[in-house]
Each structure stands twice: as C-alpha cells, then as structure tokens.
Amino acid sequence: MKSDLEIARAARPRPIHEVAAELGLPEEACEPYGRQVLKIDPAAVELGDRPRGRYVVVTAITPTPLGEGKTATTVGLGQAFGLLGRRAVVTIRQPSMGPTFGIKGGAAGGGYAQVIPMEQLNLHLTGDFHAVTAAHNLLAAMVDNHLHHVARGTVTEPELDPARVDWRRVLDVNDRALRNVVLGLGGRLDGVPRQAGFDITAASELMALLGLATDLADLRARLGRVVVGADRAGHPVTAEDLGAAGAMAVIMREAIKPNLLQTLTGTPALVHAGPFGNIATGNSSVVADKLALRCADFVLTEAGFGADMGAERFFNIKCRVSGEAPDAAVVVATVRGLKYASGRFKVVPGKPLPDDLLTEDPDAVHAGAANLCKQLQIVRRHGVPAVVAINRFPDDHASELAAIAEIAASAGARSAVYSGVADGAEGGVELAEAVIAATEQPAQFRPLYDLAEPLTAKIEAIATEVYGADGVDYSSTAERQLRAYTEQGFGELPICTAKTHLSISSDPALKGAPTGWRLPVREVRLAAGAGFVYPICGEIRTMPGLSARPAATRIDLDADGQVIGLS
Amino acid sequence: MKSDLEIARAARPRPIHEVAAELGLPEEACEPYGRQVLKIDPAAVELGDRPRGRYVVVTAITPTPLGEGKTATTVGLGQAFGLLGRRAVVTIRQPSMGPTFGIKGGAAGGGYAQVIPMEQLNLHLTGDFHAVTAAHNLLAAMVDNHLHHVARGTVTEPELDPARVDWRRVLDVNDRALRNVVLGLGGRLDGVPRQAGFDITAASELMALLGLATDLADLRARLGRVVVGADRAGHPVTAEDLGAAGAMAVIMREAIKPNLLQTLTGTPALVHAGPFGNIATGNSSVVADKLALRCADFVLTEAGFGADMGAERFFNIKCRVSGEAPDAAVVVATVRGLKYASGRFKVVPGKPLPDDLLTEDPDAVHAGAANLCKQLQIVRRHGVPAVVAINRFPDDHASELAAIAEIAASAGARSAVYSGVADGAEGGVELAEAVIAATEQPAQFRPLYDLAEPLTAKIEAIATEVYGADGVDYSSTAERQLRAYTEQGFGELPICTAKTHLSISSDPALKGAPTGWRLPVREVRLAAGAGFVYPICGEIRTMPGLSARPAATRIDLDADGQVIGLS
C-alpha cells in the first residue's frame, strides 16, 4: 500500500470554492489561505431559515495507545455519504504539530480516508494553533509583568498573589524540558523568580475556549473570564482584570473561523480547534458544527478518545453550549482494541503492536467485550442511538471481526465493518447505511445532569453513571477548592473530568469495564473562560516528550522541495 | 489627524491579484492568504531575461528611541514613485507582534504612508514568524531531548555537552520573565536541569537565516549548518547532527515565500523576514529583493536603525549573499533625531518627547550635524550615492528643516523634505525625484572587507572605518572564540556586530559621531546557519519587557468585531 502522503498527493482535489458553493457558503464568507483551504466566517453566512441536518458524533471504545482510527473512520464515513449521494460534512479537530514531529508523523486520517491537503493540515493550517499560543503567552507575559511591576511598586491593582498564579505557558512542541521551569531569574529588571511550566498548545484553556465559543463576541467575553490566579484575599483575578482580554481576542479573531478542506473524494471537511481530550473537551468546535448543520444533511463530528471521555463531554458540555442535540453516535471498535481491553496484551506507544496481539484469537476479542458494551451504554444513557463501526485493519481475521458484530448485536446495537482506510469511500458504505438508519430512529437526547446541581453531584453522576465507579473520594484540597469555586459563583459550570483515556476508570491499568473502584479526585481546577470545572483524577501529561528517535528525524524536504516523512 | 488604523481602514485597496499581475507575477506563483495578501513563490516566477530595476536602500541617522520614521519614509517614497508613474516595489520587514502589544501598537508605516491591510501586517500576516518560532523551538526541544536521552543512555551520538549548549528558545512576545530560566526540573522523565532562556522570535538566528537564504534549497542547507553547541571535545554540533534540520525546513517551507501587500495608494509592498537589527542583519529578505528587482524599475528596501547598523550589514552581508549591488541610499534624518544627536536632550522610550526638544532651535539641529555627516560617509565608503530624506514631523519648524538641508549640502549630499505621513504620495514626490537623480549617478559599490581576511581584520575594519573607533579591545574569551571559529572553518564568514543602535559607538550615551574610543568585544558568537559571526559589544536586549501599562491594554475588538488600538 502507498504511504498516506503518496495517496494524499496523488489526489485530484476539487476546487475548494466549488466545495464551499455546494454548501451554500457565499463568496464573502470564504477567505482563501493557500489554494486549497478556505477560512469560513460564520458571521457572513445567513443560516436562519435553512433546514438542519442530522448530527452524528463519532466516538470509540477505550483506545489502545495507538488509537482506534477514529479520525479515519469519521473521514471515510463522510466519503461514503458522498458516494451514496448524501450531502455530508465532516467536522474534525486540527492536528497538533507537537505530536506530528514526535510519534505520529501526521493525523489527517489515513490511507484512502484522509483530509487534504495533508501537509497544510498537519503543519500550520491557517495559524489557529499559533494564535492560541500567542494569545495564551501574551496573557502569561502580562501576568508576570504584573508581578514585576507590583514588586517594583509601579502597579498596585489587582495585586495578584505570586504564590497563587496558575496560568502556565504553552508551545506546540513536545518538549519535556519545559514541563517544570523556574523563570524570572537574572537581575532586577528580569521579573520575579517563581516556579512555572509549559503545556502543549492543544492543552491550553484557550483551545478549549475556542472550541466552545459560539461567535466572536462570545470568544471575547470568555477570554475576559479566564482566571489566572488569585489576589492575596483569595479572589479570582481574570484576564479582564489585567487588561489582556481585548488583545487576546484581537490575536484570536481569525482563529474563530473554521477551516474548510476536503476529503480525498471531495466531501467537505471543517477543521477547527484542538485535539486535547484529557483535561479539555477534545471535540471539534461548536462554531464549525453549528455551521455545518445548516449546510448539509449529515454532520459527522469527532469526539476524542472513548465515549467515556470525548462523547460524555460532547453530550454534557458541548451540546449544552451549542443547543444542538445529536441524532446518533458511531462507536468505533477494533479487533486490536477489544483484545487490548481484555487485559491480555501489552501495547507500548511508539512501538509496533506485539505479535501475539496480531494472532487470530476471537476469544480475546470476546474477552474485551465489556468495554464496548459499557461505551454503548454510556451513549444510550444520553438518549442517543449507537452504531458500532468495526474498523478493519489488514491483520484482522474474519472470526475476530465477526466477534465484534456478535458483541454489538448482543448489546442491541447495529454494527458494520468499515474498511475505508484500505478501500476509500466504498469501504464506508455499509457503515454509512447503518448510520442513516440509526438517525431515522427517534433520538431523545438528555444530558446526564442539570447544571444547577452542586459540583459534587455532577462529578458523582459522571463517576458512577458513566465510569461505573462506586463513588468519589475527594482530597481535602479538592473539597476546599470545590467550596471556593461554588462560593465564587462557578458552581453552575459543567464538569470536564481529567483522567486517563486508557481506561474507563481513572487507572490506566484497569481494562475492560472496571467495577468495584472509587474515583479519586486529587484536586479541582477551574477553566472559567472555557466554561468548565475539571477535577484531576490521576496523572495527566499536559506536555508530551520526544522519543530517542522522534518522527522529526525522518521528516524532510526532497530535492523538489516536497515534504517527505509525514504519514 | 485620523489614527493610523482609521486611515488604513478607509483605504480602498486595489485587488491584490491586479497588483501581482502588474509586477508580471504569474497566477501560479501567487497563493492567497486572506483577500488582500498573496504569498509569492519565487520558484514559480521566470526571472531570467527580465531587466533589473534600480536598487535603493533606505537607512537613517542614529535613531532616537522612538525611531526616525524609516518604514514610513520607505513606504511613502514608494507611493510617490507611483504618483510619478514609476514602477516601484517597497520591500520591508514584517513587524514583530511582541512590540505591537508592548510599546509600539503597530508598525506598518504611519499616517498616509502605510502598508495595508495593517491589522494583518501587524498580527500574524501569513505565519512566517510563527514558522520561525516553531522551527526554532523544535530544534530546542530536540537539543534538550538529546541531553535527556544521553543522560539515560538511550542515545550516545553526537553527545552534546550540556555545559556548551547555546541554543535558546524563542517566543514572539515581550516577556522579561523568560530571559533567564532553569528548565528540565521535575522528575527523571522531565529532562536534564540546566540554565536557559528565551529571546524574542525576531532575534532568532532562523529569522536572520530566513532573510539571507536565497531559495528553499539554500534554506534547507543553512538550517543544517545551524550550530547548537559543542560536544565534549569542543567540536560544533549542528541541527543536521541532531536530525532536526529536515523537519525545520518542512516547518519553514512556506515562510521562504515573500508576502505581497500594497501601500495605501496601491504600490506593491513585499513584506518578508524580521526586524531585529541588533544581533541580526535587520534587513528585508534577499528573496524578496531579488524578486522585486526583476519586477519593477525601482526597489526601495529598508535596512534597520542607522547606516552604521542596517546599511553596513546590507552592504557587507546581504548584498554579498544576493550578488545585487545598490544604486543609491536614502538616509532618513529628522529634526528631533539631530537634536537628540546633539546630546542636549533626554528621550525615553515609551514616553512623549520632552517639551524642550520640540521648541524651535536650529542651533541644536546643527549641533547634531556630525551624526548625519558620519552616516553619509559610511554610505559613501561603500561607493553608493546618498540622498538625505528630511522626514518632517508636525512640530518641526522651517528653520530646523532648513538646517538639515544645509548640513546635507555641506556634506555634498542631495536632500529633500519628506512629508508623506501627513500628505501621502504627494509628500514624497520631491524626495522621489532626488532619489531618481541619485540612481542616475554611477554607483561603484564596494564592500568594506574581503571575506578572506581574518575575522579580526574584518571586525577592525568595521570598528575603525564605519564606527570611527580607534581600535578594538578583545576580552580573552573573545580571543579564544575567534581562534576556535577560525580553526573550525568559520573564518570566512562576514561580521554582524552586536552593539547598541542608539550611538554609532558601542556606548549608547555617546551621541553625534563619537571619536577617541575603542570597541570592546566581550565575546563572539557564531550564526553558522544565517552565515555570520557576531561580536558582542555591550549589553544587547534580545527579549524586551512590557511597561506598567502596555499597548495590549488598549487593544481590543469593538462591538462590530473590528480591531481598535493598533497604530
């Protein structure tokens, strides 16, 4: 099989203006960024009287560290809708450049199910990530500048407490050495020394905020609400208090516009916001989805990691902000994923899959069934019909694929084998038909909790009803923080639990559908701008590292100036 | 008078494709970035048999901390050429976002002499700075990742010595707290603790490299030559040795293409590379200038700071790389600048000019004459005819403007009053005519030194013949470094002296044309990728700070989502 890059480069893209016109996007809403990408200004599109398409979220079983091919399934499903003559848009998140040069080497789907141009998608695209980085770090500079001028007596208000600053810096690079730093060293003009650190840009609160803002005015308002720390009395200090929010909005004013690309077969793809699903929502943007819903008959949107992660946030955070209810969910499952869920195999990120995992073994697939059933149950708990996408890999055996279909049937869900990576649009037709049928069932979307419930009740609802925990154990720090946030008026925010994506529980070693455990909440943090409270349950890496031989060492230009080594 | 932003927004831009077509740039060389900016791929333009335009470098007297309006003069001169029916292109550097949110609030020229769209110019433009930031920091991450894996025994080659790493990180933000940091703190997976720091992106060697690369292949080769430190035997370790250069070139492959914008009156403006003139060349790019020279009759290119700084580097570094000889130089002088050069007034960055400097006082202008004469002499030393642009400000008095004309005449140079900021294209006509006349004189461009001369001889030529020093004093460190670079094969590189721009000497307190002093070289650094050696003479700030009330606090979106507060 050809490499992803070879396939992408051999594609004959449709003129992107033609793709936009087909969606009913007027010329004045479409700004070109290079020849094959348009930035779409939703404010320039009249949406009022257009019919609404059907809304399908693509989620998954608990993924292996290599992922379940969820992006490729979303993209390939969009291609199959096109083949069936249905007007579909896929809405996906922009890949992060850090991992592109780390392990992944790219994230535009795969094989014959890709979004193009893949080089632009995987590199800067239209600069939205750079805008998030710049706005985030301008705020950080203004925080430390404030501390500096307070220390020198040239500024007195709002007098942020240096010990209570919790706004870090961000860069879109895998740089382990920046996780923990001491800054402000040097002389008396070089700031106030303090401990700080960097996260990857995708983990920025501003990236989550970009994904949840409903328009430019809402983006501006949310930026003003971003809390960077507290004053000496413990009162929250915001970006607005520091006078930074306006400039941040100016830096991000183009980033709020989704990016229109296309799949290999010309299905429109709106690419927007970031992929970080651990401490953030990990969903494509509200702006992109709302736009897409008025431009096509089907919108296929990706939610990060398993249904316990991205889909739960999709249901309880994103859909609440957008006011759009989903009509169906696709749960991507793989043979390797269910074998991994059995707990019988060890998979290491950045290494090839172990041989024994690739040996025909339908029993091992059945041994992982509980994970798929639990993820389906999570979807159904929200009133949404589910279809299992059996994402076929070349090493899979028919008996193993059949095992997944049996598990799905036993759980009362439709299923279909998906082979779009190898077969392109044709490989997604069966799945597309199952999805269309699912959207014809009556969906009765209902969120898990009311926002008016106490923060603890909302956390407990997620822990018990979604994760299957027996209950929640709060540290004394977490209890104190929850009380403070409630007193400060943040009690009605939704919850975005920060936990591992490698288990439905908070312990990555527990496979399948763990029971008999309690969710430990070590601390609780506030993303007042993005608009959620996030309990920290376990160690969450917010800045990846590089291996001894990162993908960057294999990425280069050839003699013709073409990119090589992206995949 | 209206604000810069109001004037810029009221302009009726020409369709940018029309501007490109007039330059003879074929459609396939022009990629749109938004509606009013094109990225131009020089590789897609046949330049071979086109006639070459005349090449004019715009430089200045020693500037006040507020600048001499050099960009506005370059831009307004281009507008005046248009009014005279002459085909001109202005080639300027992209503004840095850090200072935009710090003191400046924007840098697109000023008043009726601006490049538009000014919001895009001052913010992300087409992402070239972001690409430099990303490539620079990927290399930094790979440096620290190398140290980490060497320490853990997972990598053995090339075994960079942690104590000899001198590759810092960069961000395009004024962030004093990042000047000096300790990174690699945390646990054993979080890198190796060491001292490090951040510069502003414009100060990155990669920005200088971008300005000097002749094409994409040369960019790739130069990236490979970037030295990040040394191994334990003292041998240089490069980006190529770490396997990073290919990925860096992939990140920067769009950044090598200059950006086509236009002035308020529709003169083409190629905007490319960065403005940092202290430790770098501070010139617009070789790629942009070479392209422009084959597309127009006149190319007006800006060189940063006074003629001792930007123009000297233009002559001895940039023109040597490009092989293009200048036909004339414009030396921008202001009443305020010459009064400041008299040493009688105190000007503080970020504060309004003192009242006494604005009082009519032609004597004070004459008292600063030596500076203008010395800068003119520097230009002539390189065989290039000079024209003095008397950049008029609203507070200037006729007697003071006349004083500058007298000084220019006494030095044998043409001069003309320039008032393009207030008067637009008309305000530059007299200057444009003087420039045209100057380019009709025979220029006999000759660089100051041969590359084959020893590094010390080249440094001494600049110190004595350009700066007017009596000689050079090297620290023992500098002597050792010069020996080492020569032994390592870097002896034939040109010199880019890092010194203050606020004096022709290395001491910012010495005004006018200081004599009777010696240039102290504290240390010498190598920019092997950009292709120069830079002696450090004095304290050079490579990361600005923010004031107690930075420009960012005044920049915002209005109710219609339009930017306010840029200037």
Side-chain angles (χ1 to χ4, degrees):
Chain A
M1 191 163 154
K2 289 184 192 166
S3 77
D4 289 353
L5 187 55
E6 285 165 344
I7 293 170
R9 204 170 286 148
R12 297 225 195 123
R14 297 169 63 194
I16 193 70
H17 278 288
E18 183 185 305
V19 176
E22 201 175 87
L23 293 175
L25 297 171
E27 185 82 33
E28 59 271 23
C30 302
E31 279 179 291
Y33 275 70
R35 291 202 181 78
Q36 295 179 44
V37 176
L38 297 176
K39 238 186 190 320
I40 310 297
D41 183 0
V45 187
E46 268 302 333
L47 294 178
D49 55 351
R50 299 189 187 194
R52 179 187 180 279
R54 295 182 204 166
Y55 197 18
V56 179
V57 60
V58 181
T59 178
I61 60 167
T62 298
T64 73
L66 284 73
E68 294 305 286
K70 198 152 32 61
T71 306
T73 304
T74 309
V75 171
L77 193 52
Q79 297 185 155
F81 271 87
L83 194 66
L84 293 172
R86 301 293 194 127
R87 293 172 58 237
V89 174
V90 301
T91 62
I92 61 171
R93 305 158 298 163
Q94 181 179 341
S96 174
M97 266 170 72
T100 294
F101 293 103
I103 288 178
K104 295 181 95 170
Y112 292 94
Q114 288 188 63
V115 171
I116 54 172
M118 81 95 96
E119 296 99 320
Q120 203 174 339
L121 177 65
N122 278 309
L123 297 170
H124 312 282
L125 196 51
T126 61
D128 297 345
F129 272 48
H130 295 317
V132 168
T133 303
H136 187 118
N137 292 334
L138 174 63
L139 178 55
M142 290 179 76
V143 164
D144 275 291
N145 190 57
H146 174 81
L147 298 178
H148 172 78
H149 284 286
V150 166
R152 291 172 62 81
T154 39
V155 161
T156 54
E157 289 287 325
E159 211 183 339
L160 196 48
D161 182 346
R164 301 196 205 200
V165 170
D166 50 18
W167 192 250
R168 290 162 58 89
R169 284 168 175 76
V170 297
L171 276 178
D172 192 9
V173 60
N174 289 13
D175 193 346
R176 66 176 84 240
L178 291 179
R179 285 173 190 154
N180 303 286
V181 307
V182 171
L183 48 68
L185 300 172
R188 82 195 165 88
L189 294 177
D190 300 325
V192 177
R194 65 180 189 86
Q195 279 185 281
F198 286 70
D199 298 324
I200 193 161
T201 296
S204 166
E205 179 182 344
L206 303 192
M207 189 64 86
L209 189 161
L210 179 68
L212 290 168
T214 52
D215 59 22
L216 184 59
D218 185 47
L219 177 85
R220 171 66 184 81
R222 286 172 184 266
L223 288 170
R225 295 198 292 268
V226 166
V227 172
V228 298
D231 65 16
R232 287 178 196 275
H235 299 305
V237 173
T238 65
E240 198 72 61
D241 296 332
L242 292 176
M248 294 162 71
V250 166
I251 292 174
M252 290 178 68
R253 91 189 164 121
E254 299 301 320
I256 189 73
K257 302 174 185 169
N259 307 292
L260 181 65
L261 288 81
Q262 61 185 299
T263 69
L264 288 173
T265 59
T267 298
L270 281 174
V271 180
H272 204 206
F276 211 85
N278 282 97
I279 61 162
T281 35
N283 274 260
S284 74
S285 78
V286 164
V287 167
D289 283 12
K290 285 186 79 80
L291 178 70
L293 281 168
R294 300 291 164 175
C295 296
D297 299 326
F298 291 89
V299 175
L300 310 167
T301 189
E302 187 187 354
F305 300 135
D308 56 313
M309 303 288 288
E312 186 275 311
R313 285 121 194 233
F314 173 82
F315 296 138
N316 295 303
I317 303 177
K318 182 177 167 186
C319 290
R320 222 185 293 251
V321 169
S322 70
E324 302 287 357
D327 297 293
V330 174
V331 179
V332 179
T334 59
V335 167
R336 57 184 60 187
L338 287 179
K339 284 178 168 173
Y340 178 64
S342 74
R344 297 180 184 175
F345 306 91
K346 190 171 155 63
V347 179
V348 180
K351 300 246 167 102
L353 291 173
D355 284 345
D356 56 349
L357 193 142
L358 299 175
T359 310
E360 180 167 8
D361 188 356
D363 269 4
V365 176
H366 277 290
N371 187 269
L372 174 55
C373 294
K374 176 68 182 159
Q375 301 286 19
L376 286 169
Q377 182 234 310
I378 293 169
V379 170
R380 287 186 183 144
R381 166 60 189 81
H382 293 88
V384 178
V387 177
V388 176
I390 306 170
N391 182 19
R392 197 181 75 196
F393 279 75
D395 297 314
D396 294 345
H397 299 88
S399 64
E400 299 172 321
L401 297 167
I404 303 183
E406 286 160 27
I407 297 164
S410 75
R414 290 168 209 271
S415 72
V417 172
Y418 168 78
S419 63
V421 172
D423 302 331
E426 289 79 3
V429 165
E430 196 192 333
L431 178 61
E433 284 168 344
V435 169
I436 293 167
T439 61
E440 281 159 1
Q441 285 178 242
Q444 293 181 314
F445 173 60
R446 53 192 175 95
L448 184 68
Y449 50 78
D450 281 338
L451 291 180
E453 293 173 38
L455 292 172
T456 47
K458 291 182 275 196
I459 295 169
E460 283 149 30
I462 295 171
T464 57
E465 293 188 57
V466 175
Y467 303 157
D470 291 340
V472 181
D473 294 328
Y474 300 99
S475 71
S476 57
T477 304
E479 283 176 348
R480 183 171 45 72
Q481 290 164 324
L482 285 166
R483 273 196 307 274
Y485 294 146
T486 304
E487 281 163 21
Q488 290 161 5
F490 300 112
E492 301 217 344
L493 290 176
I495 304 297
C496 184
T497 314
K499 72 163 186 72
T500 180
H501 59 281
L502 296 174
S503 170
I504 299 179
S505 78
S506 57
D507 178 355
L510 300 180
K511 300 299 169 197
T515 54
W517 61 282
R518 297 178 64 81
L519 184 73
V521 177
R522 196 181 68 211
E523 58 171 315
V524 183
R525 293 191 201 150
L526 173 66
F532 52 74
V533 165
Y534 57 111
I536 308 288
C537 310
E539 290 300 325
I540 308 297
R541 269 253 174 286
T542 50
M543 173 56 93
L546 292 171
S547 70
R549 198 170 153 68
T553 59
R554 300 181 292 277
I555 294 172
D556 206 335
L557 296 172
D558 67 15
D560 299 324
Q562 297 288 321
V563 177
I564 50 175
L566 284 182
S567 62
Chain B
M1 189 162 155
K2 290 183 189 166
S3 77
D4 289 354
L5 188 54
E6 284 165 346
I7 293 170
R9 205 169 285 148
R12 296 225 196 123
R14 297 169 62 194
I16 193 69
H17 277 288
E18 183 185 304
V19 177
E22 203 175 86
L23 293 176
L25 298 171
E27 184 82 32
E28 60 270 24
C30 302
E31 279 179 290
Y33 275 71
R35 291 203 182 77
Q36 296 179 43
V37 176
L38 297 177
K39 236 184 193 321
I40 310 296
D41 183 0
V45 187
E46 268 302 334
L47 294 179
D49 55 351
R50 299 189 189 195
R52 179 187 180 278
R54 296 183 204 165
Y55 196 19
V56 179
V57 61
V58 181
T59 178
I61 60 168
T62 297
T64 73
L66 284 73
E68 294 305 285
K70 198 153 30 63
T71 306
T73 304
T74 309
V75 171
L77 193 52
Q79 297 185 157
F81 271 87
L83 194 64
L84 293 172
R86 302 291 195 127
R87 293 170 59 234
V89 174
V90 301
T91 61
I92 60 172
R93 305 159 297 165
Q94 181 180 341
S96 173
M97 266 171 69
T100 294
F101 293 102
I103 289 180
K104 298 181 92 167
Y112 291 94
Q114 289 189 60
V115 171
I116 53 173
M118 81 95 97
E119 297 99 319
Q120 203 173 339
L121 177 65
N122 278 308
L123 297 169
H124 312 282
L125 195 53
T126 61
D128 297 345
F129 272 48
H130 295 317
V132 168
T133 304
H136 187 117
N137 293 333
L138 175 63
L139 178 55
M142 289 177 78
V143 164
D144 275 293
N145 191 56
H146 174 81
L147 298 179
H148 171 79
H149 285 285
V150 166
R152 292 172 62 81
T154 37
V155 162
T156 53
E157 288 289 324
E159 208 181 343
L160 195 49
D161 181 348
R164 303 197 204 199
V165 170
D166 50 19
W167 191 250
R168 291 162 59 89
R169 284 167 176 79
V170 297
L171 276 178
D172 192 9
V173 61
N174 288 12
D175 193 345
R176 65 175 86 243
L178 291 180
R179 286 174 189 152
N180 302 286
V181 306
V182 171
L183 47 68
L185 301 172
R188 83 194 164 88
L189 293 177
D190 300 325
V192 177
R194 66 181 188 88
Q195 280 185 281
F198 286 70
D199 298 325
I200 192 161
T201 297
S204 166
E205 179 182 344
L206 303 193
M207 189 65 84
L209 189 161
L210 178 67
L212 289 168
T214 53
D215 60 22
L216 184 59
D218 184 46
L219 177 86
R220 171 64 185 83
R222 285 172 185 265
L223 288 170
R225 296 199 291 267
V226 166
V227 171
V228 299
D231 65 17
R232 287 178 195 274
H235 299 305
V237 174
T238 64
E240 199 71 62
D241 296 332
L242 292 174
M248 293 163 72
V250 166
I251 292 174
M252 290 178 68
R253 90 189 166 122
E254 300 300 320
I256 189 73
K257 302 174 184 170
N259 307 292
L260 181 65
L261 290 78
Q262 61 185 300
T263 70
L264 289 172
T265 59
T267 298
L270 281 174
V271 181
H272 204 205
F276 211 85
N278 283 97
I279 61 163
T281 35
N283 274 261
S284 74
S285 78
V286 165
V287 167
D289 283 12
K290 284 186 79 79
L291 179 69
L293 280 168
R294 300 290 163 176
C295 296
D297 300 326
F298 291 89
V299 175
L300 309 167
T301 189
E302 186 186 355
F305 301 135
D308 57 311
M309 304 287 290
E312 186 275 310
R313 284 124 195 228
F314 173 81
F315 296 138
N316 294 305
I317 302 177
K318 183 177 165 186
C319 290
R320 222 185 291 252
V321 169
S322 69
E324 303 287 356
D327 297 294
V330 174
V331 178
V332 179
T334 60
V335 167
R336 59 184 58 188
L338 287 180
K339 284 177 167 175
Y340 178 65
S342 72
R344 297 181 185 175
F345 306 91
K346 191 170 152 66
V347 178
V348 180
K351 299 244 167 104
L353 291 174
D355 284 344
D356 56 351
L357 193 142
L358 299 176
T359 311
E360 181 167 7
D361 188 354
D363 271 3
V365 176
H366 276 291
N371 188 268
L372 174 55
C373 294
K374 176 68 183 159
Q375 300 285 19
L376 286 169
Q377 183 233 308
I378 292 169
V379 170
R380 288 188 183 139
R381 166 62 188 79
H382 294 87
V384 178
V387 177
V388 176
I390 306 171
N391 182 20
R392 197 181 77 195
F393 278 75
D395 297 315
D396 293 345
H397 299 87
S399 63
E400 299 173 323
L401 298 167
I404 302 182
E406 287 158 28
I407 299 164
S410 74
R414 290 167 209 270
S415 72
V417 173
Y418 168 77
S419 63
V421 172
D423 303 330
E426 290 80 3
V429 165
E430 199 191 331
L431 178 62
E433 285 167 344
V435 169
I436 293 167
T439 60
E440 281 159 3
Q441 286 176 243
Q444 293 181 315
F445 173 61
R446 54 192 174 97
L448 183 68
Y449 50 78
D450 282 338
L451 291 180
E453 293 173 37
L455 292 171
T456 48
K458 292 182 274 196
I459 294 169
E460 283 149 31
I462 295 172
T464 57
E465 293 189 56
V466 174
Y467 303 157
D470 291 340
V472 180
D473 294 328
Y474 300 98
S475 71
S476 56
T477 304
E479 282 175 349
R480 183 171 44 74
Q481 289 164 324
L482 285 165
R483 273 197 307 274
Y485 295 147
T486 304
E487 281 163 21
Q488 290 161 6
F490 300 112
E492 301 217 344
L493 290 177
I495 303 297
C496 184
T497 315
K499 73 162 186 72
T500 179
H501 60 281
L502 296 173
S503 170
I504 299 179
S505 78
S506 58
D507 177 355
L510 300 180
K511 299 298 167 199
T515 54
W517 61 281
R518 296 179 65 81
L519 183 73
V521 177
R522 197 180 69 213
E523 57 171 316
V524 183
R525 294 191 199 150
L526 172 67
F532 52 75
V533 166
Y534 57 112
I536 308 289
C537 310
E539 289 300 325
I540 308 297
R541 267 252 173 288
T542 49
M543 174 54 95
L546 292 171
S547 69
R549 199 169 152 68
T553 59
R554 299 182 292 278
I555 294 172
D556 206 337
L557 296 172
D558 67 14
D560 298 324
Q562 297 288 321
V563 177
I564 51 176
L566 284 184
S567 62

